[in-house]
Amino acid sequence: QVQFVESGGGLVQPGGSLRLSCAASGSAFGRYPMGWYRQAPGKSRDWVAILSLSGSTNYADSVRGRFTISRDNAKNTVYLQMNSLKHDDTAVYYCNGWPGLIGAWGQGTQVTVSS
């Protein structure tokens, strides 16, 4: 199984930006489509961004046009660039395979959008 370590979260004001990183262990990383997910307090964990092996992307309606997912297979890392952040983006963010999980969930990285 692949293991994930997410980082890059923090406290940011509305309208601000953050770039999340997810470092994956194991050589299998490059063989799978990847996704970013998030879980807000009291809510389920939902996907927000998907990146296929061909490079096509898809985004949840709530983040489309503001978030960008990318990956660097040489570094076994997937990124999430988040711009124009809103209060509703506050959540713990995770990465994993998509649509099927390819490893246990990491510890996630907390993103808090607040003025």
Side-chain angles (χ1 to χ4, degrees):
Q1 279 194 339
V2 181
Q3 294 180 319
F4 305 103
V5 178
E6 298 91 350
S7 61
L11 174 63
V12 62
Q13 292 186 342
S17 298
L18 284 174
R19 188 192 193 206
L20 306 184
S21 298
C22 172
S25 66
S27 59
F29 169 78
R31 299 203 298 264
Y32 297 96
M34 291 296 297
W36 278 97
Y37 305 76
R38 68 185 181 188
Q39 186 168 21
K43 296 187 177 181
S44 61
R45 182 156 32 201
D46 297 320
W47 70 273
V48 293
I50 298 163
L51 177 60
S52 74
L53 292 176
S54 68
S56 62
T57 58
N58 197 13
Y59 299 93
D61 289 344
S62 60
V63 307
R64 186 173 290 114
R66 300 187 296 119
F67 289 11
T68 303
I69 186 173
S70 61
R71 70 193 294 167
D72 185 337
N73 286 339
K75 296 182 178 179
N76 273 16
T77 301
V78 61
Y79 304 98
L80 186 67
Q81 177 67 43
M82 306 188 298
N83 299 327
S84 302
L85 283 162
K86 305 176 180 180
H87 288 111
D88 288 349
D89 296 319
T90 294
V92 180
Y93 285 72
Y94 306 85
C95 71
N96 212 310
W98 190 90
L101 304 183
I102 60 173
W105 293 105
Q107 84 288 351
T109 186
Q110 175 70 50
V111 172
T112 302
V113 184
S114 174
S115 54

